[in-house]
Amino acid sequence: AQSVTQLDSQVPVFEEAPVELRCNYSSSVSVYLFWYVQYPNQGLQLLLKYLSGSTLVKGINGFEAEFNKSQTSFHLRKPSVHISDTAEYFCAVSRSMKTSYDKVIFGPGTSLSVIP
Amino acid sequence: DSGVTQTPKHLITATGQRVTLRCSPRSGDLSVYWYQQSLDQGLQFLIQYYNGEERAKGNILERFSAQQFPDLHSELNLSSLELGDSALYFCASSVDRTGRPSGANVLTFGAGSRLTVL
């Protein structure tokens, strides 16, 4: 079974500073990887996804993530954060399958707080 | 607006009661997923339906049940409610068309139904 670990439950960072949110996964088969963001009092929305190909994936709002198969990691980065990036960030994994019936498993989340 | 509609937005009820949460997926999406989000458990996968059929089951209690109807909307039924069932319940949908070359489930989430059990 797949699982996702997000090592940091809370990450405070000053505005305009860079940030990295860490994600590690466990799976015995090939996977798809995702980052979702949840703003206060809202549902989750997709930031970016890795399906195959280039290991560096760019998403919305200036975020990017790098897939590292040997380290089973998919860390999320942004070179300069804004106040509006304050939110909960979830890493997620699903098995890579020809048909897309597989469930998506989420990590526990990392709360990013951007300090003015 | 994500296109996934969940009702009700808020629900307050008492222990031992039964409630039904409803979800209408985004137009064209055939799969519906239910997740429970609580402070201590995080985002837990409950169950997945594809075109009316159950496809995967997660940590769903026996007191909970779900179904997906022919018009693709889904309902999550929670019975014999306990204090610990208080949580945000999210529905998500994805396209999931058979034969897609990439089987990635990109989920579109609704705004959630907040259940408070007193």
Side-chain angles (χ1 to χ4, degrees), chain B residues 53-104:
Chain B
E53 292 184 10
E54 182 183 306
R55 283 295 180 176
K57 226 169 186 176
N59 302 321
I60 188 166
L61 301 171
E62 285 191 11
R63 301 183 285 108
F64 296 180
S65 64
Q67 55 182 324
Q68 186 180 27
F69 295 86
D71 67 351
L72 301 178
H73 91 272
S74 177
E75 292 180 358
L76 178 66
N77 300 296
L78 316 174
S79 61
S80 302
L81 286 168
E82 302 174 359
L83 296 177
D85 297 327
S86 295
L88 255 178
Y89 291 84
F90 284 108
C91 169
S93 70
S94 70
V95 177
D96 275 356
R97 298 208 181 278
T98 304
R100 275 163 51 100
S102 82

Side-chain angles (χ1 to χ4, degrees), chain A residues 43-61:
Chain A
L44 283 73
Q45 55 183 281
L46 182 70
L47 262 184
L48 48 78
K49 62 184 183 288
Y50 171 79
L51 305 182
S52 64
S54 173
T55 57
L56 184 61
V57 178
K58 293 191 184 300
I60 62 171
N61 300 339

Side-chain angles (χ1 to χ4, degrees), chain B:
Chain B
D1 183 4
S2 67
V4 177
T5 304
Q6 287 189 249
T7 57
K9 285 187 168 39
H10 301 276
L11 190 55
I12 301 174
T13 188
T15 54
Q17 295 299 304
R18 172 190 168 94
V19 299
T20 297
L21 309 180
R22 182 189 167 100
C23 169
S24 293
R26 198 178 54 162
S27 178
D29 286 358
L30 302 179
S31 258
V32 168
Y33 305 75
W34 286 98
Y35 288 86
Q36 179 193 57
Q37 185 179 38
S38 59
L39 283 175
D40 55 344
Q41 296 285 334
L43 199 62
Q44 297 289 314
F45 169 71
L46 296 179
I47 198 163
Q48 173 192 2
Y49 283 85
Y50 172 77
N51 206 18
E53 292 184 10
E54 182 183 306
R55 283 295 180 176
K57 226 169 186 176
N59 302 321
I60 188 166
L61 301 171
E62 285 191 11
R63 301 183 285 108
F64 296 180
S65 64
Q67 55 182 324
Q68 186 180 27
F69 295 86
D71 67 351
L72 301 178
H73 91 272
S74 177
E75 292 180 358
L76 178 66
N77 300 296
L78 316 174
S79 61
S80 302
L81 286 168
E82 302 174 359
L83 296 177
D85 297 327
S86 295
L88 255 178
Y89 291 84
F90 284 108
C91 169
S93 70
S94 70
V95 177
D96 275 356
R97 298 208 181 278
T98 304
R100 275 163 51 100
S102 82
N105 288 341
V106 176
L107 304 181
T108 301
F109 280 81
S113 293
R114 182 174 294 279
L115 173 66
T116 302
V117 182
L118 301 175

Side-chain angles (χ1 to χ4, degrees), chain A residues 22-116:
Chain A
R22 295 179 292 170
C23 170
N24 288 87
Y25 69 92
S26 172
S27 177
S28 57
V29 299
S30 296
V31 296
Y32 299 131
L33 294 158
F34 311 86
W35 276 98
Y36 285 81
V37 60
Q38 183 181 26
Y39 298 105
N41 300 313
Q42 295 185 27
L44 283 73
Q45 55 183 281
L46 182 70
L47 262 184
L48 48 78
K49 62 184 183 288
Y50 171 79
L51 305 182
S52 64
S54 173
T55 57
L56 184 61
V57 178
K58 293 191 184 300
I60 62 171
N61 300 339
F63 284 94
E64 64 180 31
E66 186 156 18
F67 170 57
N68 188 318
K69 189 174 181 180
S70 63
Q71 297 186 5
T72 60
S73 68
F74 190 54
H75 301 331
L76 180 71
R77 301 185 184 100
K78 186 170 182 178
S80 175
V81 296
H82 300 129
I83 295 290
S84 59
D85 293 324
T86 295
E88 191 84 13
Y89 291 80
F90 293 91
C91 183
V93 63
S94 70
R95 288 178 298 175
S96 167
M97 300 169 68
K98 286 185 180 178
T99 57
S100 46
Y101 298 138
D102 198 42
K103 58 185 180 288
V104 181
I105 303 300
F106 285 82
T110 295
S111 178
L112 175 64
S113 298
V114 179
I115 306 162

